[in-house]
Amino acid sequence: MNILDELNQVSILQVAEDLGLEVQRHRMKCPFHEEDTPSLVLYPHTNSFYCFGCAKTGNSITLYSEIKHLDIKTTINEMASEYIVGFQKYKANNKKPLPKINVLNVPEIRNIQAKEKLIAEIHSQIYEAFRDFCLQQKSNETSQKALEYLKNRGFTEKTIKDFRLFSIKDYTEVTWYLKQRFSYLDLQESGLYNIKNNLIFYSHTLIIPYYRNGRIVYLQGRVIGKPAEGTNRYCFLNNQPLTLFNADSLLKVRTGETVYITEGAFDCIRLVQEGKIAVSLGTANIFKKEWAKLFKRVNVVFYLDNDKAGHKAADELEKIFTHYNISCTRKNLPNEYKDVNDYYTGKLGSNEQLGLF
Ligand SMILES: [Zn+2]
């Protein structure tokens, strides 16, 4: 049983009726904004809805979760019990009554996969809505500073565009928008919002999106320029597993080609700008063993930071890769350069150290 597929088959008209919503000729008054005439339209052939008044959109599952104010986990569980015949049977066949069926507890791997797939899909939707909204905001002082900063680090406009780097121009506006579109719980689970419902990238207004198969799967924020005392330069999503940056480039790589592995995303971006193939780990001390198989066919060159953490990470990575029979070498930066980007920018030390930015 694939719960997600089955739930997607459930008629949105049925769901709306069961939720007690008044529908006439596939139209109803929008529950997401105040109105006197119905402008929310239900589309039974795709089981989706769209409000012409407030632009709220979604499918049967989001309608259910929004109206009942439930997180996705509970929504799937409730909807499965209500609409999927096999799911009821599954429960009935269990002699011991299950305390409360959670999709996670159903001993069918496909259900877990379906659930994970759905969660990942919702997170990508949140990240992409966040990016799209930020990109269409009018440029202002923040975005100009971000652009200037990137150019000072040696990035061309093409590179900035190719990697779809963006900045948060108006914090309040984007938060208002995302809270209209997504539930607080989903926003928190995506790691973009903390438990106080605040956007985590408050000081980190320059955003680096991580893509997999063209979808955003992770976000990293950076302070524009020099961070304030006590603030880290980078901010990573709450409770979300870090993933490889620029991993999609591995899909296009030919057997035997050289792939550079860097620490920071900016180093990776820089190498790509210089015509090389590169991915980045995000930080020196995280490498997941399952990533190793992605590099089976290529020549790996570690090009990590010129500091203790970088050297130590290179030692450990070499061990892991050798264990998996992946050919790898190490490239060391000349002493006076801290990281790959500094090297290419050709400046002594890092810009931050020099206090330039
Ligand atoms: Zn509406």
Side-chain angles (χ1 to χ4, degrees):
M1 193 204 305
N2 186 329
I3 290 191
L4 181 59
D5 285 350
E6 299 211 19
L7 287 183
N8 280 329
Q9 311 273 318
V10 179
S11 159
I12 194 161
L13 299 173
Q14 181 70 50
V15 173
E17 193 191 312
D18 293 347
L19 288 168
L21 301 166
E22 235 178 272
V23 183
Q24 279 195 330
R25 275 186 247 117
H26 300 178
R27 239 173 213 278
M28 64 182 217
K29 277 190 196 166
C30 177
F32 308 109
H33 83 277
E34 286 223 7
E35 64 175 358
D36 297 325
T37 50
S39 47
L40 188 144
V41 179
L42 300 171
Y43 299 99
H45 57 291
T46 51
N47 286 323
S48 62
F49 68 86
Y50 179 75
C51 171
F52 286 87
C54 68
K56 180 100 184 168
T57 178
N59 58 20
S60 310
I61 300 168
T62 43
L63 184 68
Y64 194 100
S65 81
E66 293 271 350
I67 297 291
K68 293 195 123 189
H69 301 288
L70 299 173
D71 62 288
I72 280 300
K73 214 187 279 179
T74 317
T75 301
I76 297 173
N77 189 41
E78 267 198 35
M79 286 185 80
S81 304
E82 206 164 323
Y83 297 108
I84 300 176
V85 179
F87 198 81
Q88 301 278 24
K89 216 177 184 178
Y90 169 82
K91 282 206 291 191
N93 287 342
N94 272 274
K95 279 174 197 131
K96 270 188 237 154
L98 290 172
K100 192 179 174 201
I101 290 199
N102 181 302
V103 175
L104 265 184
N105 294 335
V106 178
E108 270 187 69
I109 190 85
R110 272 165 63 197
N111 293 340
I112 295 168
Q113 282 171 348
K115 181 180 170 283
E116 281 176 352
K117 212 172 120 190
L118 177 66
I119 290 173
E121 169 59 31
I122 287 164
H123 290 174
S124 286
Q125 279 180 19
I126 291 174
Y127 305 149
E128 286 161 7
F130 172 60
R131 173 202 58 193
D132 295 344
F133 189 86
C134 286
L135 282 175
Q136 59 85 42
Q137 283 183 308
K138 273 204 196 105
S139 69
N140 63 5
E141 212 186 313
T142 308
S143 60
Q144 273 154 18
K145 261 171 130 179
L147 193 64
E148 203 180 310
Y149 168 75
L150 290 168
K151 285 183 173 172
N152 276 325
R153 289 200 66 164
F155 297 117
T156 63
E157 278 196 31
K158 183 181 183 299
T159 299
I160 296 166
K161 226 180 184 173
D162 285 351
F163 282 93
R164 287 163 281 187
L165 306 174
F166 62 93
S167 56
I168 305 167
K169 293 158 195 152
D170 188 320
Y171 178 94
T172 319
E173 246 180 45
V174 72
T175 288
W176 172 84
Y177 172 73
L178 290 175
K179 285 181 179 175
Q180 297 271 315
R181 266 197 72 179
F182 302 99
S183 77
Y184 284 13
L185 277 168
D186 285 336
L187 288 173
Q188 283 173 21
E189 281 199 12
S190 78
L192 193 55
Y193 280 75
N194 62 23
I195 48 166
K196 288 179 182 163
N197 290 321
N198 293 321
L199 183 64
I200 60 160
F201 300 131
Y202 187 74
S203 336
H204 303 82
T205 47
L206 175 58
I207 309 298
I208 307 165
Y210 286 47
Y211 289 83
R212 268 290 168 104
N213 300 312
R215 302 294 306 272
I216 303 184
V217 291
Y218 194 81
L219 296 164
Q220 181 186 351
R222 198 202 187 283
V223 170
I224 298 170
K226 203 182 153 98
E229 187 88 8
T231 307
N232 284 323
R233 273 184 297 164
Y234 292 105
C235 175
F236 296 91
L237 289 177
N238 277 348
N239 305 316
Q240 285 296 315
L242 193 61
T243 180
L244 279 178
F245 178 76
N246 204 31
D248 278 354
S249 65
L250 296 173
L251 301 172
K252 288 170 264 170
V253 79
R254 285 187 295 269
T255 301
E257 269 188 305
T258 294
V259 174
Y260 289 86
I261 296 184
T262 68
E263 260 180 71
F266 281 158
D267 298 326
C268 165
I269 293 174
R270 189 56 191 260
L271 287 174
V272 173
Q273 183 172 296
E274 302 297 329
K276 302 184 191 312
I277 303 164
V279 296
S280 110
L281 304 174
T283 119
N285 42 29
I286 296 174
F287 186 86
K288 295 181 192 160
K289 292 200 163 82
E290 70 259 27
W291 292 349
K293 64 173 185 292
L294 296 170
F295 301 96
K296 276 264 174 225
R297 304 175 296 116
V298 298
N299 290 315
V300 170
V301 177
F302 300 114
Y303 209 173
L304 305 185
D305 288 1
N306 209 0
D307 56 19
K308 242 189 183 168
H311 298 149
K312 194 170 157 248
D315 288 342
E316 279 162 21
L317 288 170
E318 269 183 341
K319 269 185 226 157
I320 295 173
F321 277 62
T322 309
H323 174 80
Y324 287 99
N325 282 325
I326 300 163
S327 75
C328 60
T329 52
R330 201 192 291 199
K331 199 164 161 80
N332 290 313
L333 287 158
N335 265 342
E336 62 269 36
Y337 299 106
K338 194 186 71 97
D339 61 38
V340 174
N341 194 53
D342 285 339
Y343 174 66
Y344 279 99
T345 308
K347 286 181 178 148
L348 278 179
S350 86
N351 293 329
E352 281 90 30
Q353 279 165 359
L354 292 170
L356 288 178
F357 300 107

